[in-house]
Amino acid sequence: MVTADDVLAFVQDTTRSIWTLELLVLMQRDTGHAWRAEEIARTIRANICVALEGLTVLEQDAPVQVDGKGLFRYRPASPTSAEMVRNVVELYTRKPLTVVKTIHAGPAGEIQTFADAFRFRQ
């Protein structure tokens, strides 16, 4: 059984921005649609660069594939991956602030490591 903590860990590891999350939600809800980057940008009301960055992240993490014509499709690598994405979408629908806070926290320790680099040592 997948817990909310499992879903949030997945979000933290794979989703670097709210835009990427919105892309994932959009594409998961309309699995049969092949999307052009420009169409996605218009739909989520983002600039094309933001849309392309999110699509690149999702393509690397495997729930999205691009074909030779530049069309993006929701295609999870496995049934387990598809189930996790469904869980992400469901949790985001029920508890959007929890998911947003997880994304803003970033990968565990990354911000703290950056901040620690500027600490004065005595």
Side-chain angles (χ1 to χ4, degrees), residues 16-52:
R16 296 176 187 102
S17 73
I18 303 304
W19 293 112
T20 304
L21 177 63
E22 288 292 331
L23 284 169
L24 184 59
V25 169
L26 173 70
M27 295 181 84
Q28 189 271 340
R29 286 186 175 159
D30 194 356
T31 59
H33 191 79
W35 300 86
R36 294 210 173 276
E38 298 82 8
E39 179 185 14
I40 289 175
R42 276 192 315 274
T43 303
I44 65 167
R45 298 181 185 157
N47 120 356
I48 188 70
C49 293
V50 169
L52 285 169

Side-chain angles (χ1 to χ4, degrees), residues 1 14-15 17 19 22 29 34 42 55-56 75 86 92 104 107:
M1 177 171 183
T14 62
T15 309
S17 73
W19 293 112
E22 288 292 331
R29 286 186 175 159
R42 276 192 315 274
L55 288 165
T56 299
R75 298 250 195 270
R86 278 191 297 278
Y92 185 49
H104 284 299

